[in-house]
Amino acid sequence: MLTGRILKGIGGFYYVNVQGKTIQCKARGIFKKDGITPMTGDLVRINSEEENTWIEEIYPRKNSLVRPAVANIDLLVVVVAVTPSPQLALVDKMLVTASAKNIPACLCVNKIDLGKCPEIEKIYQDAGYKVFVTSAIDNTGINKLSEYLKDKFTAFAGNSGVGKSSVLNSITGKTLETGGLSQKISRGKHTTRHVELIELECGGYVFDTPGFSSYELSDIKAADLSKHFPEFESSIGKCKFSDCAHIKETGCDVIARVQSGEISASRHEHYCDLYNQLKLIKDWE
């Protein structure tokens, strides 16, 4: 038996990297019977004796996302552009999703050749995130970001038009096929129909995906949302009420820190919006 990682899956075939060699194989029918679908990024055990090679076992995943189906992500790079108006509410939703899925995340502030936006850097650095400032046009910051991806399995996420594909092309040295976003239905129109791991020259891989169409907040309970805002951590145990929701409660340490400027007002506003959305999701458990 051999152990490797799925690089891509196309038409029922899976391409597994085993010690630098790519092996084409299929998945055993037992996976379909059990409702399990192999994902790009999965660590798997394959046979090495039969004429037809099969995936025999999928090892436990440390994390996974559904759309697109990717597993075992070491880092999520959330990309935001300085222009047009940065959609920081979506950025915060992505960061919460990553935290809930146990995926470390950082921020890439792109298109700085079109303007500066130091307040975005400050907001997220103060919140505890690593921030990279880039321009794919003149390669500003690309080397620093590439170095940070070394030896990691990295996925990129961001709204349409923020320059994800340009940054990825600069990092990989390849032209990866991506597409725009339908303004009417807000779903990615893309030419890439499968997820693939692309090897980086500096070491590591990036997931070449058609884009993230879902940020799965439904798995998070409103009462647990504050755990996914790292800047709230130092307020634990300091609020007047032990079950403080950090929305408008008297004696809330988080609100006091927002008022003093220690915590970003926009981050807290987005937290409140997400909290209220989650409160509307009925907990059937």
Side-chain angles (χ1 to χ4, degrees):
M1 296 289 181
L2 299 172
T3 297
R5 189 182 297 263
I6 297 178
L7 297 179
K8 61 182 176 180
I10 305 175
F13 288 96
Y14 296 91
Y15 298 83
V16 180
N17 178 21
V18 179
Q19 297 179 351
K21 179 181 179 182
T22 301
I23 299 176
Q24 176 183 289
C25 53
K26 286 192 170 185
R28 290 288 186 192
I30 188 66
F31 295 119
K32 186 175 182 179
K33 181 180 178 181
D34 292 342
I36 300 172
T37 301
M39 293 181 172
T40 299
D42 270 333
L43 287 169
V44 297
R45 182 168 57 88
I46 64 176
N47 64 32
S48 58
E49 300 174 359
E50 299 180 15
E51 181 178 346
N52 296 315
T53 306
W54 299 87
I55 295 175
E56 301 284 350
E57 180 182 359
I58 299 174
Y59 291 108
R61 297 162 178 156
K62 67 179 181 181
N63 55 52
S64 65
L65 294 171
V66 176
R67 291 183 294 274
V70 292
N72 300 315
I73 305 170
D74 292 328
L75 177 68
L76 182 69
V77 179
V78 177
V79 184
V80 60
V82 299
T83 185
S85 299
Q87 297 188 27
L88 299 187
L90 180 59
V91 168
D92 289 336
K93 191 174 182 181
M94 294 181 207
L95 293 172
V96 167
T97 299
S99 176
K101 296 289 183 179
N102 194 32
I103 303 171
C106 69
L107 198 72
C108 171
V109 182
N110 193 35
K111 296 189 177 181
I112 62 161
D113 54 289
L114 300 179
K116 306 295 183 181
C117 206
E119 61 269 24
I120 298 180
E121 296 175 59
K122 182 175 182 352
I123 286 172
Y124 291 95
Q125 285 174 344
D126 288 351
Y129 293 98
K130 183 79 172 177
V131 178
F132 294 90
V133 178
T134 63
S135 167
I137 299 299
D138 58 19
N139 264 3
T140 298
I142 296 297
N143 288 339
K144 287 184 178 179
L145 179 57
S146 297
E147 182 63 26
Y148 194 64
L149 307 187
K150 184 178 180 180
D151 299 328
K152 297 182 179 72
F153 288 82
T154 304
F156 280 68
N159 200 14
S160 176
V162 297
K164 296 186 302 295
S165 59
S166 297
V167 172
L168 274 168
N169 291 341
S170 296
I171 290 171
T172 63
K174 300 178 182 180
T175 301
L176 307 180
E177 295 183 4
T178 59
L181 186 80
S182 167
Q183 296 299 318
K184 291 184 179 180
I185 62 175
S186 296
R187 292 180 183 173
K189 291 181 176 180
H190 52 267
T191 52
T192 303
R193 298 187 180 277
H194 63 273
V195 182
E196 181 173 356
L197 276 169
I198 305 296
E199 188 171 9
L200 299 175
E201 289 186 4
C202 63
Y205 290 79
V206 293
F207 291 88
D208 177 21
T209 76
F212 288 81
S213 60
S214 174
Y215 302 101
E216 303 153 50
L217 291 182
S218 59
D219 293 338
I220 306 172
K221 294 181 180 179
D224 294 330
L225 180 62
S226 62
K227 298 176 183 177
H228 305 297
F229 280 73
E231 65 269 47
F232 289 12
E233 185 176 357
S234 62
S235 290
I236 295 175
K238 296 180 180 179
C239 294
K240 181 176 181 180
F241 303 104
S242 60
D243 61 348
C244 184
H246 314 307
I247 302 295
K248 56 182 179 181
E249 292 83 356
T250 300
C252 173
D253 189 69
V254 169
I255 293 175
R257 293 171 61 209
V258 172
Q259 293 172 341
S260 71
E262 185 180 345
I263 290 178
S264 160
S266 70
R267 285 274 291 173
H268 182 253
E269 178 184 350
H270 300 155
Y271 164 82
C272 293
D273 291 341
L274 292 174
Y275 183 91
N276 290 328
Q277 290 175 34
L278 293 172
K279 287 289 285 185
L280 296 175
I281 300 175
K282 183 159 184 173
D283 184 2
W284 292 98
E285 298 180 0

